[in-house]
mmCIF file with all atom_site columns, all heavy atoms in Angstrom:
data_model
loop_
_atom_site.group_PDB
_atom_site.id
_atom_site.type_symbol
_atom_site.label_atom_id
_atom_site.label_alt_id
_atom_site.label_comp_id
_atom_site.label_asym_id
_atom_site.label_entity_id
_atom_site.label_seq_id
_atom_site.pdbx_PDB_ins_code
_atom_site.Cartn_x
_atom_site.Cartn_y
_atom_site.Cartn_z
_atom_site.occupancy
_atom_site.B_iso_or_equiv
_atom_site.pdbx_formal_charge
_atom_site.auth_seq_id
_atom_site.auth_comp_id
_atom_site.auth_asym_id
_atom_site.auth_atom_id
_atom_site.pdbx_PDB_model_num
ATOM 1   N N   . ARG A 1 69 ? 99.011  88.860 104.534 1.00 98.00 ? 69 ARG A N   1
ATOM 2   C CA  . ARG A 1 69 ? 98.236  89.405 105.658 1.00 98.00 ? 69 ARG A CA  1
ATOM 3   C C   . ARG A 1 69 ? 98.202  88.314 106.727 1.00 98.00 ? 69 ARG A C   1
ATOM 4   O O   . ARG A 1 69 ? 97.776  87.188 106.463 1.00 98.00 ? 69 ARG A O   1
ATOM 5   C CB  . ARG A 1 69 ? 96.820  89.759 105.239 1.00 98.00 ? 69 ARG A CB  1
ATOM 6   C CG  . ARG A 1 69 ? 95.963  90.264 106.413 1.00 98.00 ? 69 ARG A CG  1
ATOM 7   C CD  . ARG A 1 69 ? 94.540  90.542 106.006 1.00 98.00 ? 69 ARG A CD  1
ATOM 8   N NE  . ARG A 1 69 ? 94.456  91.528 104.950 1.00 98.00 ? 69 ARG A NE  1
ATOM 9   C CZ  . ARG A 1 69 ? 94.466  92.848 105.146 1.00 98.00 ? 69 ARG A CZ  1
ATOM 10  N NH1 . ARG A 1 69 ? 94.580  93.326 106.361 1.00 98.00 ? 69 ARG A NH1 1
ATOM 11  N NH2 . ARG A 1 69 ? 94.368  93.681 104.125 1.00 98.00 ? 69 ARG A NH2 1
ATOM 12  N N   . ILE A 1 70 ? 98.642  88.670 107.927 1.00 97.00 ? 70 ILE A N   1
ATOM 13  C CA  . ILE A 1 70 ? 98.633  87.737 109.054 1.00 97.00 ? 70 ILE A CA  1
ATOM 14  C C   . ILE A 1 70 ? 97.656  88.285 110.082 1.00 97.00 ? 70 ILE A C   1
ATOM 15  O O   . ILE A 1 70 ? 97.877  89.361 110.638 1.00 97.00 ? 70 ILE A O   1
ATOM 16  C CB  . ILE A 1 70 ? 100.043 87.582 109.656 1.00 97.00 ? 70 ILE A CB  1
ATOM 17  C CG1 . ILE A 1 70 ? 101.006 87.102 108.563 1.00 97.00 ? 70 ILE A CG1 1
ATOM 18  C CG2 . ILE A 1 70 ? 100.015 86.616 110.839 1.00 97.00 ? 70 ILE A CG2 1
ATOM 19  C CD1 . ILE A 1 70 ? 102.452 87.161 108.943 1.00 97.00 ? 70 ILE A CD1 1
ATOM 20  N N   . GLU A 1 71 ? 96.573  87.563 110.306 1.00 97.00 ? 71 GLU A N   1
ATOM 21  C CA  . GLU A 1 71 ? 95.531  88.012 111.219 1.00 97.00 ? 71 GLU A CA  1
ATOM 22  C C   . GLU A 1 71 ? 95.867  87.656 112.661 1.00 97.00 ? 71 GLU A C   1
ATOM 23  O O   . GLU A 1 71 ? 96.132  86.506 112.967 1.00 97.00 ? 71 GLU A O   1
ATOM 24  C CB  . GLU A 1 71 ? 94.196  87.372 110.846 1.00 97.00 ? 71 GLU A CB  1
ATOM 25  C CG  . GLU A 1 71 ? 93.696  87.772 109.481 1.00 97.00 ? 71 GLU A CG  1
ATOM 26  C CD  . GLU A 1 71 ? 92.397  87.075 109.145 1.00 97.00 ? 71 GLU A CD  1
ATOM 27  O OE1 . GLU A 1 71 ? 91.644  86.724 110.075 1.00 97.00 ? 71 GLU A OE1 1
ATOM 28  O OE2 . GLU A 1 71 ? 92.161  86.867 107.956 1.00 97.00 ? 71 GLU A OE2 1
ATOM 29  N N   . ASP A 1 72 ? 95.855  88.639 113.526 1.00 95.00 ? 72 ASP A N   1
ATOM 30  C CA  . ASP A 1 72 ? 96.057  88.485 114.962 1.00 95.00 ? 72 ASP A CA  1
ATOM 31  C C   . ASP A 1 72 ? 97.257  87.622 115.317 1.00 95.00 ? 72 ASP A C   1
ATOM 32  O O   . ASP A 1 72 ? 97.122  86.570 115.959 1.00 95.00 ? 72 ASP A O   1
ATOM 33  C CB  . ASP A 1 72 ? 94.805  87.897 115.621 1.00 95.00 ? 72 ASP A CB  1
ATOM 34  C CG  . ASP A 1 72 ? 93.594  88.784 115.439 1.00 95.00 ? 72 ASP A CG  1
ATOM 35  O OD1 . ASP A 1 72 ? 93.754  90.015 115.520 1.00 95.00 ? 72 ASP A OD1 1
ATOM 36  O OD2 . ASP A 1 72 ? 92.490  88.248 115.210 1.00 95.00 ? 72 ASP A OD2 1
ATOM 37  N N   . PRO A 1 73 ? 98.466  88.029 114.924 1.00 94.00 ? 73 PRO A N   1
ATOM 38  C CA  . PRO A 1 73 ? 99.652  87.226 115.257 1.00 94.00 ? 73 PRO A CA  1
ATOM 39  C C   . PRO A 1 73 ? 99.807  87.090 116.770 1.00 94.00 ? 73 PRO A C   1
ATOM 40  O O   . PRO A 1 73 ? 99.584  88.037 117.513 1.00 94.00 ? 73 PRO A O   1
ATOM 41  C CB  . PRO A 1 73 ? 100.812 88.006 114.641 1.00 94.00 ? 73 PRO A CB  1
ATOM 42  C CG  . PRO A 1 73 ? 100.297 89.373 114.387 1.00 94.00 ? 73 PRO A CG  1
ATOM 43  C CD  . PRO A 1 73 ? 98.815  89.272 114.246 1.00 94.00 ? 73 PRO A CD  1
ATOM 44  N N   . ARG A 1 74 ? 100.171 85.909 117.195 1.00 93.00 ? 74 ARG A N   1
ATOM 45  C CA  . ARG A 1 74 ? 100.340 85.616 118.624 1.00 93.00 ? 74 ARG A CA  1
ATOM 46  C C   . ARG A 1 74 ? 101.773 85.859 119.097 1.00 93.00 ? 74 ARG A C   1
ATOM 47  O O   . ARG A 1 74 ? 102.015 86.075 120.275 1.00 93.00 ? 74 ARG A O   1
ATOM 48  C CB  . ARG A 1 74 ? 99.963  84.167 118.916 1.00 93.00 ? 74 ARG A CB  1
ATOM 49  C CG  . ARG A 1 74 ? 98.556  83.820 118.526 1.00 93.00 ? 74 ARG A CG  1
ATOM 50  C CD  . ARG A 1 74 ? 97.568  84.476 119.468 1.00 93.00 ? 74 ARG A CD  1
ATOM 51  N NE  . ARG A 1 74 ? 96.216  84.102 119.097 1.00 93.00 ? 74 ARG A NE  1
ATOM 52  C CZ  . ARG A 1 74 ? 95.227  84.970 118.982 1.00 93.00 ? 74 ARG A CZ  1
ATOM 53  N NH1 . ARG A 1 74 ? 95.433  86.242 119.199 1.00 93.00 ? 74 ARG A NH1 1
ATOM 54  N NH2 . ARG A 1 74 ? 94.031  84.572 118.641 1.00 93.00 ? 74 ARG A NH2 1
ATOM 55  N N   . LYS A 1 75 ? 102.723 85.767 118.162 1.00 90.00 ? 75 LYS A N   1
ATOM 56  C CA  . LYS A 1 75 ? 104.122 86.007 118.498 1.00 90.00 ? 75 LYS A CA  1
ATOM 57  C C   . LYS A 1 75 ? 104.821 86.580 117.274 1.00 90.00 ? 75 LYS A C   1
ATOM 58  O O   . LYS A 1 75 ? 104.279 86.543 116.172 1.00 90.00 ? 75 LYS A O   1
ATOM 59  C CB  . LYS A 1 75 ? 104.812 84.727 118.973 1.00 90.00 ? 75 LYS A CB  1
ATOM 60  C CG  . LYS A 1 75 ? 104.830 83.613 117.953 1.00 90.00 ? 75 LYS A CG  1
ATOM 61  C CD  . LYS A 1 75 ? 105.458 82.353 118.512 1.00 90.00 ? 75 LYS A CD  1
ATOM 62  C CE  . LYS A 1 75 ? 105.450 81.260 117.451 1.00 90.00 ? 75 LYS A CE  1
ATOM 63  N NZ  . LYS A 1 75 ? 106.096 80.053 117.917 1.00 90.00 ? 75 LYS A NZ  1
ATOM 64  N N   . PHE A 1 76 ? 106.001 87.142 117.499 1.00 87.00 ? 76 PHE A N   1
ATOM 65  C CA  . PHE A 1 76 ? 106.775 87.732 116.409 1.00 87.00 ? 76 PHE A CA  1
ATOM 66  C C   . PHE A 1 76 ? 108.181 87.146 116.420 1.00 87.00 ? 76 PHE A C   1
ATOM 67  O O   . PHE A 1 76 ? 108.823 87.140 117.469 1.00 87.00 ? 76 PHE A O   1
ATOM 68  C CB  . PHE A 1 76 ? 106.860 89.248 116.565 1.00 87.00 ? 76 PHE A CB  1
ATOM 69  C CG  . PHE A 1 76 ? 105.550 89.933 116.339 1.00 87.00 ? 76 PHE A CG  1
ATOM 70  C CD1 . PHE A 1 76 ? 104.671 90.158 117.383 1.00 87.00 ? 76 PHE A CD1 1
ATOM 71  C CD2 . PHE A 1 76 ? 105.192 90.338 115.077 1.00 87.00 ? 76 PHE A CD2 1
ATOM 72  C CE1 . PHE A 1 76 ? 103.464 90.782 117.176 1.00 87.00 ? 76 PHE A CE1 1
ATOM 73  C CE2 . PHE A 1 76 ? 103.974 90.970 114.853 1.00 87.00 ? 76 PHE A CE2 1
ATOM 74  C CZ  . PHE A 1 76 ? 103.105 91.192 115.908 1.00 87.00 ? 76 PHE A CZ  1
ATOM 75  N N   . PRO A 1 77 ? 108.648 86.674 115.274 1.00 80.00 ? 77 PRO A N   1
ATOM 76  C CA  . PRO A 1 77 ? 110.023 86.160 115.210 1.00 80.00 ? 77 PRO A CA  1
ATOM 77  C C   . PRO A 1 77 ? 111.005 87.289 115.533 1.00 80.00 ? 77 PRO A C   1
ATOM 78  O O   . PRO A 1 77 ? 110.835 88.406 115.055 1.00 80.00 ? 77 PRO A O   1
ATOM 79  C CB  . PRO A 1 77 ? 110.179 85.710 113.754 1.00 80.00 ? 77 PRO A CB  1
ATOM 80  C CG  . PRO A 1 77 ? 108.803 85.612 113.215 1.00 80.00 ? 77 PRO A CG  1
ATOM 81  C CD  . PRO A 1 77 ? 107.963 86.557 113.996 1.00 80.00 ? 77 PRO A CD  1
ATOM 82  N N   . PRO A 1 78 ? 112.032 87.022 116.333 1.00 74.00 ? 78 PRO A N   1
ATOM 83  C CA  . PRO A 1 78 ? 112.980 88.076 116.708 1.00 74.00 ? 78 PRO A CA  1
ATOM 84  C C   . PRO A 1 78 ? 113.697 88.677 115.504 1.00 74.00 ? 78 PRO A C   1
ATOM 85  O O   . PRO A 1 78 ? 114.055 89.841 115.529 1.00 74.00 ? 78 PRO A O   1
ATOM 86  C CB  . PRO A 1 78 ? 113.967 87.389 117.651 1.00 74.00 ? 78 PRO A CB  1
ATOM 87  C CG  . PRO A 1 78 ? 113.634 85.955 117.653 1.00 74.00 ? 78 PRO A CG  1
ATOM 88  C CD  . PRO A 1 78 ? 112.322 85.747 116.955 1.00 74.00 ? 78 PRO A CD  1
ATOM 89  N N   . ASP A 1 79 ? 113.869 87.921 114.421 1.00 64.00 ? 79 ASP A N   1
ATOM 90  C CA  . ASP A 1 79 ? 114.580 88.435 113.246 1.00 64.00 ? 79 ASP A CA  1
ATOM 91  C C   . ASP A 1 79 ? 113.867 89.616 112.588 1.00 64.00 ? 79 ASP A C   1
ATOM 92  O O   . ASP A 1 79 ? 114.504 90.431 111.949 1.00 64.00 ? 79 ASP A O   1
ATOM 93  C CB  . ASP A 1 79 ? 114.748 87.331 112.196 1.00 64.00 ? 79 ASP A CB  1
ATOM 94  C CG  . ASP A 1 79 ? 115.667 86.225 112.668 1.00 64.00 ? 79 ASP A CG  1
ATOM 95  O OD1 . ASP A 1 79 ? 116.343 86.423 113.704 1.00 64.00 ? 79 ASP A OD1 1
ATOM 96  O OD2 . ASP A 1 79 ? 115.692 85.174 112.030 1.00 64.00 ? 79 ASP A OD2 1
ATOM 97  N N   . ILE A 1 80 ? 112.556 89.715 112.750 1.00 68.00 ? 80 ILE A N   1
ATOM 98  C CA  . ILE A 1 80 ? 111.855 90.810 112.078 1.00 68.00 ? 80 ILE A CA  1
ATOM 99  C C   . ILE A 1 80 ? 111.659 92.025 112.976 1.00 68.00 ? 80 ILE A C   1
ATOM 100 O O   . ILE A 1 80 ? 111.298 93.082 112.505 1.00 68.00 ? 80 ILE A O   1
ATOM 101 C CB  . ILE A 1 80 ? 110.497 90.376 111.510 1.00 68.00 ? 80 ILE A CB  1
ATOM 102 C CG1 . ILE A 1 80 ? 109.503 90.058 112.608 1.00 68.00 ? 80 ILE A CG1 1
ATOM 103 C CG2 . ILE A 1 80 ? 110.644 89.231 110.552 1.00 68.00 ? 80 ILE A CG2 1
ATOM 104 C CD1 . ILE A 1 80 ? 108.098 89.976 112.122 1.00 68.00 ? 80 ILE A CD1 1
ATOM 105 N N   . LEU A 1 81 ? 111.927 91.871 114.259 1.00 61.00 ? 81 LEU A N   1
ATOM 106 C CA  . LEU A 1 81 ? 111.759 92.995 115.168 1.00 61.00 ? 81 LEU A CA  1
ATOM 107 C C   . LEU A 1 81 ? 112.932 93.958 115.124 1.00 61.00 ? 81 LEU A C   1
ATOM 108 O O   . LEU A 1 81 ? 112.816 95.097 115.554 1.00 61.00 ? 81 LEU A O   1
ATOM 109 C CB  . LEU A 1 81 ? 111.547 92.499 116.607 1.00 61.00 ? 81 LEU A CB  1
ATOM 110 C CG  . LEU A 1 81 ? 110.269 91.710 116.832 1.00 61.00 ? 81 LEU A CG  1
ATOM 111 C CD1 . LEU A 1 81 ? 110.208 91.213 118.264 1.00 61.00 ? 81 LEU A CD1 1
ATOM 112 C CD2 . LEU A 1 81 ? 109.046 92.550 116.505 1.00 61.00 ? 81 LEU A CD2 1
ATOM 113 N N   . GLY A 1 82 ? 114.049 93.509 114.606 1.00 57.00 ? 82 GLY A N   1
ATOM 114 C CA  . GLY A 1 82 ? 115.224 94.373 114.543 1.00 57.00 ? 82 GLY A CA  1
ATOM 115 C C   . GLY A 1 82 ? 115.947 94.400 115.871 1.00 57.00 ? 82 GLY A C   1
ATOM 116 O O   . GLY A 1 82 ? 115.533 93.812 116.855 1.00 57.00 ? 82 GLY A O   1
#
Side-chain angles (χ1 to χ4, degrees):
R69 177 183 301 276
I70 302 169
E71 297 178 27
D72 299 321
R74 302 288 181 227
K75 61 183 180 177
F76 291 90
D79 293 348
I80 68 165
L81 295 177

